[in-house]
């Protein structure tokens, strides 16, 4: 599945428009649910969100598959599906590995863990950036479209102390600080680094696997009808 150089045929902004609107709608729904104290299972207000089903992180593999199949059909597939999947896995290993090391070495109150998160995120993105360039660019654009509104929402929620997962600090020995610095630590940096790296690596992984399966099934269908 050789990648073409005709990237002008693909408008990334057009490709991510509907997914970005859906993601924003889910973000707003999540906020409304938490503010109105709806079911905690669906709208958990605890720090990190508690893995609630209503959340935009679950959309990443879905839209990763969507973007990948759309790009492949437009002739913007990877030079090698196996290479794309392999580098996505490597990027995920790098990201998890560096963060795991950071948590092992971390001590309560030490802000160095934030630096480890940034390093892990940047390292993972650098590892996967050439695995499938068009999908990488698409996921990068979608990641910012999804996460910038969340970062802005967190700024307002933290300033207003709304009591949602958008402004509740992590459990444990989280030090008292000015609301803006709190936003930088639990809002801006995680949204612009951790979640962008997550979007790209997970999106590439699921997208690469989906295209591999799609391509294999298409080849099997062509062989049957040959």
């Amino acid at each position: 599945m050789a990648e073409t150089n005709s990237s002008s045929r693909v408008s990334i902004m057009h490709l991510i428009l509907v997914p970005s609107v859906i993601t924003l709608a889910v973000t707003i729904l999540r906020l409304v649910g938490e503010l109105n104290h709806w079911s905690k299972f669906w709208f958990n207000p605890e720090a990190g969100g508690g893995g609630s089903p209503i959340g935009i992180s679950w959309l990443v593999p879905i839209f990763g598959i969507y973007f990948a199949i759309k790009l492949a059909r437009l002739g913007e597939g990877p030079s090698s599906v196996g290479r794309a999947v392999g580098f996505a896995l490597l990027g995920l290993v790098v990201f998890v590995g560096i963060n795991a090391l950071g948590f092992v070495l971390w001590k309560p109150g030490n802000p160095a863990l934030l630096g480890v998160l940034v390093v892990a995120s940047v390292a993972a993105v650098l590892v996967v950036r050439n695995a499938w360039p068009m999908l990488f660019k698409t996921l990068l654009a979608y990641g910012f479209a999804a996460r910038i509104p969340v970062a802005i929402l967190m700024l307002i929620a933290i300033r207003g102390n709304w009591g949602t997962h958008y402004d509740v600090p992590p459990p444990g020995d989280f030090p008292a600080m000015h609301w803006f610095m709190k936003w930088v630590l639990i809002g801006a940096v995680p949204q612009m680094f951790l979640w962008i790296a997550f979007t790209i690596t997970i999106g590439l992984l699921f997208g690469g696997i989906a295209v591999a399966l799609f391509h294999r099934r298409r080849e099997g269908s062509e062989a049957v009808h040959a």
Side-chain angles (χ1 to χ4, degrees), residues 99-115:
N99 273 302
L101 179 61
F103 275 101
V104 169
L105 301 176
W106 179 73
K107 296 179 181 179
N110 187 346
L113 184 62
L114 195 66

Side-chain angles (χ1 to χ4, degrees), residues 119-180:
V119 170
S121 301
V122 172
V125 169
L126 291 176
V127 166
V128 304
R129 63 175 179 168
N130 292 320
W132 183 345
M134 275 305 297
L135 182 55
F136 173 86
K137 293 175 185 177
T138 302
L139 288 166
L140 179 64
Y142 167 71
F144 281 118
R147 292 296 166 178
I148 288 175
V150 176
I152 295 172
L153 172 59
M154 292 185 73
L155 176 66
I156 301 171
I158 290 172
R159 181 67 180 89
N161 195 27
W162 288 355
T164 67
H165 91 279
Y166 294 107
D167 59 286
V168 174
D173 300 323
F174 191 82
M177 62 183 66
H178 188 270
W179 67 267
F180 185 80

Side-chain angles (χ1 to χ4, degrees):
M1 297 182 64
E3 182 178 26
T4 69
N5 293 321
S6 53
S7 58
S8 60
R9 294 190 302 170
V10 179
S11 169
I12 291 177
M13 293 300 105
H14 183 266
L15 189 60
I16 71 170
L17 177 60
V18 172
S20 298
V21 171
I22 293 172
T23 303
L24 180 60
V26 172
T27 298
I28 294 172
L29 175 62
R30 177 65 181 272
L31 175 64
V32 171
E34 291 187 31
L35 289 176
N36 286 280
H37 307 290
W38 292 349
S39 168
K40 191 174 181 180
F41 173 78
W42 296 99
F43 304 94
N44 194 330
E46 296 177 359
S52 296
I54 303 297
I56 64 175
S57 60
W58 305 113
L59 297 176
V60 171
I62 296 172
F63 288 137
I65 292 171
Y66 170 78
F67 295 142
I69 292 177
K70 291 281 285 187
L71 288 171
R73 286 176 173 172
L74 290 169
E76 294 289 352
S79 57
S80 167
V81 175
R83 180 175 182 272
V85 173
F87 271 96
L89 282 170
L90 179 60
L92 188 60
V93 169
V94 168
F95 179 75
V96 173
I98 295 177
N99 273 302
L101 179 61
F103 275 101
V104 169
L105 301 176
W106 179 73
K107 296 179 181 179
N110 187 346
L113 184 62
L114 195 66
V116 173
L117 183 151
V118 172
V119 170
S121 301
V122 172
V125 169
L126 291 176
V127 166
V128 304
R129 63 175 179 168
N130 292 320
W132 183 345
M134 275 305 297
L135 182 55
F136 173 86
K137 293 175 185 177
T138 302
L139 288 166
L140 179 64
Y142 167 71
F144 281 118
R147 292 296 166 178
I148 288 175
V150 176
I152 295 172
L153 172 59
M154 292 185 73
L155 176 66
I156 301 171
I158 290 172
R159 181 67 180 89
N161 195 27
W162 288 355
T164 67
H165 91 279
Y166 294 107
D167 59 286
V168 174
D173 300 323
F174 191 82
M177 62 183 66
H178 188 270
W179 67 267
F180 185 80
M181 183 55 64
K182 178 183 174 183
W183 173 71
V184 171
L185 293 177
I186 72 171
V189 173
Q191 293 299 322
M192 294 299 99
F193 287 91
L194 184 152
W195 287 110
I196 296 298
F198 172 86
T199 298
I200 293 172
T201 54
I202 296 299
L204 272 166
L205 179 60
F206 277 81
I209 292 172
V211 168
L213 295 174
F214 172 78
H215 185 58
R216 181 177 298 176
R217 186 169 65 177
R218 187 175 63 178
E219 287 182 337
S221 176
E222 290 174 351
V224 169
H225 293 91

